[in-house]
Amino acid sequence: MLQSMIASAGYAPTTLPSAPTRTVAPTMKEKTWPIGFWDAFDEGSASLMPDSTRPFSGAIADKGGLEALSDELNPIVGYWDPLNIGDESAETIAWFRHAEIKHGRVAMAAFVGYLVQANGIHFPWDLANPILGLSDSTISFADISAAGSPPAQWDALPTAAKIQIIAGIGFLEMWGESSIALEKAGEKHYVRGGKPGFYPPFNSPQGTIAAPHPVPLNLWDPFGATKKMTDERKAKALLAEVNNGRLAMIGIMGVLAASKGLIVPGLDSLPLPAYDGEIMAPFSAGDTTLPFVESMLKIKISLVNGLIKTV
């Protein structure tokens, strides 16, 4: 996690000044559209300056807050913190809270998507068609679905499709971390007093366009279903979302393990299609046109005496 520290330095004059001196404020560079990742390398960025006028709005900023949240989420399990995150700073706690919410959302989509794809459900149209003579083949979603398990379907995707998906995810990740996009939505970064789990809209509530061009729908709540919710209702919904996200993270890892033939109680008995490839590898033998992929595929990883070794 990137941290920005802005400090002022004072120098005692060796001689009595003849006139009062004036400190010149640092020049702030105006930014018209976000890439918050790059803000961290700009010492003059106003978006990185700490806000001393606003308390930490994440509300949960210490161990006591995490304990209270744990009781609300699951009073049976209660507070369990093997990493001692509760002893860390408010910023670190916010970082972990945001990470859990985000990973839970991704896991919920992944788990549902896995079950849909594992049952052979797919779009009825084509995935790729010949365009401008760049390709002479047509690939349908049915062709991809016929590859077998969801991981095998990923392997069957054209290399160009994989690059587009990875690039799209990278853009969404940058947008969610962008201080400027968050400020246009009236929020702050989650480690600087903002709300963990908040994703900035492409079009801010004030009507200003945060993106460099108009976007018809936002990633989060594209149809505005939560606009009429009260704050109390939103707080309860977030608790349910965190719990569902935790279960989904266990679920998606469980079905992936079961697809590799491992024993997963409750899941290994399901008729899940088996997968004999490398689940954690983003590219496979069909992507050797990309740099380094061919040499990467030659590396074999094994577990020997509890240690990961490469061959």
Side-chain angles (χ1 to χ4, degrees), residues 63-86:
K63 185 175 182 179
L66 289 176
E67 291 175 345
L69 176 63
S70 299
D71 290 337
E72 289 187 78
L73 287 169
N74 193 326
I76 297 177
V77 175
Y79 182 67
W80 186 63
D81 182 17
L83 298 180
N84 296 320
I85 297 172

Side-chain angles (χ1 to χ4, degrees), residues 133-273:
L134 299 177
S135 173
D136 56 356
S137 61
T138 298
I139 302 175
S140 68
F141 280 98
D143 296 332
I144 301 300
S145 180
S149 65
Q153 293 178 37
W154 169 262
D155 291 342
L157 284 176
T159 301
K162 293 179 181 178
I163 293 176
Q164 291 177 54
I165 292 171
I166 294 173
I169 294 172
F171 168 78
L172 294 175
E173 181 71 11
M174 277 198 305
W175 187 267
E177 296 291 322
S178 169
S179 297
I180 303 222
L182 289 163
E183 288 171 3
K184 282 184 176 291
E187 261 299 330
K188 285 187 173 293
H189 195 275
Y190 50 87
V191 300
R192 305 195 185 285
K195 299 176 183 177
F198 179 83
Y199 191 87
F202 301 119
N203 299 310
S204 69
Q206 292 81 4
T208 58
I209 299 174
H213 57 77
V215 180
L217 298 174
N218 292 311
L219 176 64
W220 168 252
D221 193 16
F223 304 108
T226 62
K227 285 184 177 179
K228 296 182 180 180
M229 282 188 181
T230 63
D231 291 340
E232 182 181 2
R233 176 70 183 87
K234 288 180 180 179
K236 290 182 178 179
L238 181 58
L239 293 176
E241 182 183 31
V242 171
N243 278 329
N244 291 334
R246 289 176 176 178
L247 183 60
M249 285 187 275
I250 297 174
I252 187 60
M253 294 306 295
V255 292
L256 287 173
S259 71
K260 296 292 290 182
L262 300 178
I263 298 176
V264 183
L267 294 177
D268 51 10
S269 59
L270 297 178
L272 296 173

